Amino acid sequence: MCIRDSVRSMNRISLLCRRPFVWLARFRHRRGYGVHSPFAFHLITGVVYEAAPYYKYASLLEEEKRQASQRPRGWRGEPLKVKRLLFRLVNYAQPETVVDAGRLSASALYLKAAREGAVYTPAAGLDELFLEAGVPVDFLYLHDWRRPDFVEEVFRQCVGRTRGRSVFVIEGIRYTKAMHRLWDAMRQDERCGISFDLYDLGILFFDRTKIKQHYFCLLYTSPSPETPEHLVC
C-alpha cells in the first residue's frame, strides 16, 4: 500500500470516529424534537428519516447491479442512503423538471424513477447545462463539491428559475471551506426559504409563504473514498 492510500485510510478512520459526535449533537432533531414548523417536522420525520421500504427500492438496486459493468469512465459511487433520500425528495416534491448537475453517478436512476414524467436534464459540465427559456427548475441535485466554481455557477443559473415548489439539494456543504461558504451564501439568498443542513447534504426550499428558517439534522453515512481529508465541522 502506498503512503497516499495509507493517509486516506487513516482519514476515513478519523471521520468514522468523528461522526458519532456530530450525530449526538444533532440527535434531538431526528424525531423532530424542538422543531415547531409542521412543514419542517414532516420533512424531517416523514422524508429524511423515513425508513419504510419504497416500492421501487428493490428494482433500482437490481438495475444498479445490472449497469455496474457498463459504467463509463468518471462514474462515481454514492452512499445508498443518499440515493434513496433523493428518491424520497423527488417523490415528495413531484417536480416537472429535474436538473442533475455533477459527475455521472447512480443517483440518476433514483432521480428519474421517483418522477418518471419529469423532464430530466443531466449536466456534467457547464457546457451541458441546457435550460430552455422560460422553463422553471423544480428540482436540482448539485453534486460536484470538488469544483466550487461549477457549483456556484449552476446555482446562479438555476436559482433565477425557481418557483414556490422548487427544491435544491447540494452535496458536500461541509466538505471544504469553500463549499461551506457557498452553502451559507445559498441559504441566505433572498429567494430561498426554509433550509436543512444534513452535514453531507444541504436542502433548500423556495416557498416564501413559509417563514425563512434553518434546521440541522444528519443523514448518517459512512465516508466514501472521495471524502476530503479535512471536513469543516
Side-chain angles (χ1 to χ4, degrees):
M1 180 182 292
C2 67
I3 295 176
R4 185 176 181 180
D5 289 339
S6 298
V7 170
R8 285 182 175 177
S9 296
M10 292 299 295
N11 287 329
R12 283 173 56 78
I13 293 172
S14 174
L15 291 174
L16 285 170
C17 293
R18 186 188 310 172
R19 291 206 173 198
F21 295 99
V22 178
W23 172 258
L24 288 173
R26 302 183 179 207
F27 180 77
R28 69 189 185 91
H29 297 300
R30 189 176 191 275
R31 296 299 176 190
Y33 300 138
V35 177
H36 302 293
S37 162
F39 168 81
F41 182 87
H42 172 68
L43 191 92
I44 292 172
T45 60
V47 180
V48 174
Y49 290 117
E50 174 59 64
Y54 273 65
Y55 59 100
K56 288 188 178 180
Y57 281 175
S59 60
L60 283 167
L61 201 56
E62 286 301 314
E63 181 62 18
E64 273 195 79
K65 292 178 181 178
R66 191 187 69 81
Q67 293 186 6
S69 61
Q70 305 170 7
R71 291 175 181 174
R73 178 177 294 182
W75 185 275
R76 63 181 293 258
E78 289 166 310
L80 185 60
K81 284 189 176 182
V82 169
K83 290 177 288 192
R84 288 182 171 177
L85 174 59
L86 290 170
F87 179 93
R88 295 195 298 273
L89 284 169
V90 172
N91 185 70
Y92 168 80
Q94 289 295 295
E96 293 180 10
T97 58
V98 175
V99 176
D100 182 6
R103 292 171 56 191
L104 294 172
S105 66
S107 59
L109 291 173
Y110 291 76
L111 292 170
K112 290 185 281 188
R115 182 74 164 90
E116 294 182 353
V119 176
Y120 172 78
T121 302
L126 291 174
D127 58 335
E128 299 176 7
L129 187 60
F130 301 115
L131 302 174
E132 293 185 21
V135 176
V137 175
D138 289 338
F139 194 96
L140 168 67
Y141 179 39
L142 185 45
H143 53 108
D144 205 334
W145 57 266
R146 290 185 182 275
R147 294 190 293 166
D149 291 343
F150 171 79
V151 172
E152 184 175 21
E153 181 59 23
V154 171
F155 178 82
R156 187 192 68 78
Q157 291 190 33
C158 292
V159 72
R161 294 169 173 264
T162 55
R163 50 182 174 172
R165 64 186 295 182
S166 297
V167 182
F168 285 12
V169 181
I170 317 297
E171 181 208 29
I173 60 172
R174 290 179 176 269
Y175 286 1
T176 65
K177 290 181 179 180
M179 279 301 301
H180 197 194
R181 285 194 297 268
L182 269 178
W183 166 246
D184 282 341
M186 290 174 185
R187 66 182 182 83
Q188 291 169 14
D189 189 289
E190 62 180 9
R191 291 161 289 194
C192 176
I194 294 176
S195 56
F196 295 84
D197 179 339
L198 277 63
Y199 196 72
D200 293 291
L201 300 172
I203 306 174
L204 301 171
F205 288 85
F206 294 85
D207 183 356
R208 296 308 307 277
T209 65
K210 297 179 174 63
I211 297 174
K212 190 181 184 80
Q213 186 74 33
H214 187 55
Y215 296 95
F216 292 91
C217 45
L218 184 68
L219 183 69
Y220 196 84
T221 62
S222 298
S224 72
E226 297 184 342
T227 303
E229 297 181 4
H230 304 290
L231 291 181
V232 180
C233 296

